[in-house]
Amino acid sequence: MNIKKNQVFVELEIANWDNTDLASTLYEMCYSHKEYENDVVEVHQVVDLGKSKYLVIINITQDLDNLGDELDNPYIVKGP
């Protein structure tokens, strides 16, 4: 098993809590970092930075021997 692990840090600012579903926002953040169908992407931690600003730490695990199909993800920028 050839496993690749990566950690991503994303800044999040909530302008209006009345119009924000935090669970849905975190789900979308995870999906936006998923490149292959078998990627395991999960929120590791949400750190409150104050004044409605947060640091979201996301863990990404890929089994390089079993990636699955590549997703047509508009958030992933492909190399040349």
Side-chain angles (χ1 to χ4, degrees):
M1 210 179 215
N2 190 7
I3 302 294
K4 175 183 173 186
K5 293 188 176 196
N6 191 21
Q7 197 168 59
V8 177
F9 302 90
V10 180
E11 290 184 29
L12 173 65
E13 186 171 351
I14 306 293
N16 184 348
W17 277 106
D18 293 334
N19 296 329
T20 302
D21 178 9
L22 185 59
S24 294
T25 301
L26 294 174
Y27 177 83
E28 289 175 23
M29 290 174 83
C30 286
Y31 178 78
S32 71
H33 287 87
K34 192 168 181 171
E35 190 173 354
Y36 295 94
E37 69 177 334
N38 293 337
D39 288 357
V40 176
V41 182
E42 55 193 4
V43 173
H44 174 74
Q45 187 175 5
V46 178
V47 180
D48 186 353
L49 301 175
K51 297 184 181 181
S52 296
K53 293 183 181 180
Y54 299 87
L55 178 67
V56 181
I57 303 170
I58 298 173
N59 290 336
I60 304 168
T61 304
Q62 292 180 320
D63 179 356
L64 298 177
D65 296 329
N66 184 24
L67 290 172
D69 292 333
E70 188 173 8
L71 298 177
D72 184 20
N73 191 337
Y75 299 105
I76 301 292
V77 177
K78 306 284 190 255

